[in-house]
Amino acid sequence: MNDVTEPVSATLAERAKRALGRRNLIFIGLMGAGKSAIGRMTAQALGVPFVDSDHEIERVSRMTISELFTAYGEEEFRALEARVLKRLLRSGPRVVSTGGGAYVNERSRRQIKKGGLTVWLNAELEVLWERVNKRDTRPLLKTENPKQTLENLMRARYPIYAEADLVVLSRDVKKETMVEEVLAAIADCKKAETP
């Protein structure tokens, strides 16, 4: 097997960049879908800045996401998240990865839809579980049966995520393959850029 990572097609990246225009590209999906990793690589391919909204929330609050959930609860966390997203989406183009619950929050969802082109990284339960069960940093999975909790989150959130402009299947393939699929989806997107 060849361990050399293959570069993303420059032509495809250019087509995607033209289709994106001045808009932001916002990744949504459940924890473990690859929003941060694929988002960062997509930003690099497009030659635009990348911002992880969870990292930005931690930076401005000087607390981890888990600490924020513990200290203030989910409702207060979502209010902070909405404020941070509003600020991040004011200008573009940039690639933004969001927390798994951001798009579910109605206020944040309105800001995200207004702020750019949305890409849902849609993943099956087993793919997500394989990715998230190794770390104990997911506050919503600190339950008696975390895999069942993850499945419940899928049932509740997937119909809302389905409102995204673009959907790309997240699965166990090379990250470069996922980035190519995201870029192809952007390049083929028919949603017109709003001035």
Side-chain angles (χ1 to χ4, degrees):
M1 179 161 173
N2 188 351
D3 286 338
V4 177
T5 58
E6 301 189 17
V8 172
S9 161
T11 305
L12 179 58
E14 280 304 313
R15 282 182 43 228
K17 190 169 185 171
R18 277 194 307 277
L20 187 61
R22 297 179 311 246
R23 293 179 290 182
N24 293 303
L25 181 67
I26 305 121
F27 281 87
I28 65 169
L30 266 180
M31 60 188 91
K35 299 179 302 288
S36 294
I38 303 306
R40 186 173 288 110
M41 291 175 70
T42 300
Q44 185 176 21
L46 292 170
V48 299
F50 171 78
V51 182
D52 182 312
S53 67
D54 279 352
H55 291 164
E56 186 64 12
I57 290 166
E58 290 179 340
R59 187 186 70 76
V60 299
S61 69
R62 297 186 185 134
M63 297 173 80
T64 67
I65 301 297
S66 291
E67 290 168 344
L68 285 165
F69 263 78
T70 301
Y72 301 107
E74 185 173 2
E75 187 176 334
E76 206 43 50
F77 170 78
R78 296 295 172 207
L80 172 60
E81 181 177 55
R83 290 191 303 273
V84 168
L85 282 167
K86 183 176 184 178
R87 181 176 51 80
L88 290 176
L89 298 174
R90 278 194 188 128
S91 63
R94 67 174 61 163
V95 174
V96 179
S97 70
T98 63
Y103 201 69
V104 177
N105 177 294
E106 192 174 330
R107 182 175 165 202
S108 293
R109 185 167 60 251
R110 279 195 310 270
Q111 291 170 347
I112 290 168
K113 285 181 174 185
K114 182 180 171 185
L117 192 66
T118 53
V119 178
W120 172 25
L121 292 182
N122 179 0
E124 295 179 0
L125 177 63
E126 293 307 321
V127 171
L128 294 173
W129 181 246
E130 181 63 29
R131 294 174 182 172
V132 301
N133 76 358
K134 298 176 181 93
R135 291 187 287 170
D136 188 26
T137 57
R138 312 286 185 165
L140 293 178
L141 294 183
K142 292 184 179 186
T143 63
E144 194 172 308
N145 186 343
K147 188 173 183 181
Q148 183 62 55
T149 301
L150 186 59
E151 187 173 358
N152 294 344
L153 286 169
M154 288 174 72
R155 274 198 219 105
R157 293 179 176 182
Y158 276 24
I160 298 168
Y161 292 158
E163 296 177 21
D165 299 312
L166 307 170
V167 180
V168 175
L169 182 63
S170 180
R171 58 204 190 287
D172 287 326
V173 295
K174 286 184 184 179
K175 290 177 184 153
E176 292 80 8
T177 301
M178 290 293 311
V179 172
E180 292 263 351
E181 291 176 7
V182 168
L183 293 173
I186 298 165
D188 295 340
C189 180
K190 303 298 184 227
K191 183 180 176 186
E193 180 179 359
T194 53

